[in-house]
Structure formats: C-alpha cells, structure tokens
Amino acid sequence: MSRIGKMPVNLPDGVTVTVSADNVVSVKGPLGQLSQKVDPDITVTVEGNQLTVTRPTNQPRHRSMHGLYRALIHNMVVGVSKGYEIKQELVGVGYKAETKGQVIEFSLGFSHDIFMMLPPEVTATAVTEKKGNPILTLKSIDKQLIGQVAAKIRSLRKPEPYKGKGIKFVGEQLRKKAGKSANAK
C-alpha cells in the first residue's frame, strides 16, 4: 500500500466533497470551489467527514496514482478551508514590486519594468518597509497554481550565487560562492 494513499483525508466543518459519475471530485468550502478529474481505475469514497482513496490492483501504475490523487484531493481540501500563501523577497538595490489589481509591476534592475498578469484565482500584495527588502505575498486556494505563479515570478530574476541579489522565497537558504581571491598566484 502507498503510505500516503492509504491515509484518509479528514474533511473540516464547512467542506463538502462530491464525486460525480465520470470520476470528477469537487471540493466546496468557505473560500471557494475546486475540482479534479481522477483516473477511472481509482475509487474515491466519502464516509461521514472522511474521504478515502483506493486502488484496484498492486500494479506500479495504480500504486503511483494512488498516492498522487490522495495528495491532490488533500491539497484541494486544505485550499478551500484555509488557503495557501507564498511570500517572496526582492533582494537588491532598487528592486521593487507594485500591485495594481491583477497586474504586478516589477522593477528588477533591467532597463525596463516588467508587468505580469496574475490568474484570477491568485491575489498579490506588495509591502515595502523602511530599511527592508520588498515582500510580495501571493494568496490562492489552488496550491498547484500558486506554486506555478511563484516559480514564474522567481524566474524573472533568480538569486545570483555571489551576493544573493534576485527574487527568493522568504526563509530560503541560498548557497553563496566565495568569489575571486585578490592575492591568488
């Protein structure tokens, strides 16, 4: 058995899960609604406030999908009940981010500003405190989507290994290189 797949998903108060005939799992909660198509071989059952995912055989294909779909459904349940938040820090002189609705304007040391349109499911806020780096906070109910948007934002200016300038996640540990030695012979 898959260690992740055999664990039941606990449904908090206010979260309802429906499984349609064509194996689409819909999760509805206080923050919104998400749905995920599940492979026809995998069975999803809801009993009371617990959801279980089972597989028909022990084939490698079924074993790999067992844990995957359980994790995806768990992420949906957490998303519609609590939501997800990712914080990114802009490290560098003059680096800043400004939000205008669903558009983020980045100033990242290039000759031009970068404008990025966010999907409607993701909201962003940018905070710049005195003597501190700007912090960009992304919030969404979809874990997969918010991770993809955060990775795209980070790819605009990845942290470089010498000074650490760039866009990094808050709390991320960067490996720094020593740089050039002045008295090397």
Side-chain angles (χ1 to χ4, degrees):
M1 285 296 272
S2 165
R3 282 182 280 170
I4 296 292
K6 68 182 176 182
M7 291 170 43
V9 177
N10 294 321
L11 304 176
D13 293 337
V15 175
T16 57
V17 176
T18 55
V19 183
S20 65
D22 55 342
N23 235 15
V24 174
V25 177
S26 297
V27 181
K28 193 173 187 178
L31 297 180
Q33 181 173 355
L34 293 170
S35 61
Q36 172 72 43
K37 176 112 174 82
V38 177
D39 192 270
D41 293 343
I42 303 295
T43 340
V44 179
T45 55
V46 180
E47 297 154 2
N49 67 341
Q50 284 197 333
L51 179 138
T52 53
V53 180
T54 54
R55 64 177 186 238
T57 66
N58 219 12
Q59 294 176 0
R61 185 173 101 59
H62 289 152
R63 289 199 338 236
S64 66
M65 289 189 299
H66 189 208
L68 167 76
Y69 285 118
R70 189 264 178 206
L72 290 175
I73 292 169
H74 179 262
N75 290 343
M76 290 193 305
V77 168
V78 172
V80 298
S81 59
K82 297 178 189 166
Y84 289 101
E85 179 179 274
I86 293 178
K87 291 186 177 207
Q88 292 180 310
E89 185 177 5
L90 284 71
V91 180
V93 176
Y95 287 14
K96 61 184 177 194
E98 204 176 310
T99 56
K100 297 173 184 152
Q102 289 299 101
V103 178
I104 306 175
E105 179 183 354
F106 291 101
S107 190
L108 298 174
F110 297 114
S111 62
H112 58 283
D113 288 348
I114 299 170
F115 294 90
M116 183 175 181
M117 182 76 178
L118 291 176
E121 298 89 4
V122 179
T123 59
T125 55
V127 177
T128 307
E129 295 177 5
K130 284 221 180 262
K131 301 282 184 186
N133 293 326
I135 304 283
L136 180 70
T137 306
L138 302 171
K139 291 184 181 181
S140 179
I141 61 171
D142 192 343
K143 185 176 186 179
Q144 208 168 339
L145 181 66
I146 194 174
Q148 192 173 357
V149 169
K152 178 69 178 163
I153 289 173
R154 180 188 158 101
S155 74
L156 297 175
R157 184 70 111 170
K158 286 186 182 164
E160 52 95 12
Y162 297 103
K163 292 183 181 175
K165 287 173 50 173
I167 301 174
K168 68 178 193 109
F169 295 105
V170 171
E172 178 182 10
Q173 296 294 316
L174 298 174
R175 287 179 48 200
K176 292 196 176 173
K177 291 185 176 179
K180 209 190 302 189
S181 176
N183 295 334
K185 288 184 180 181

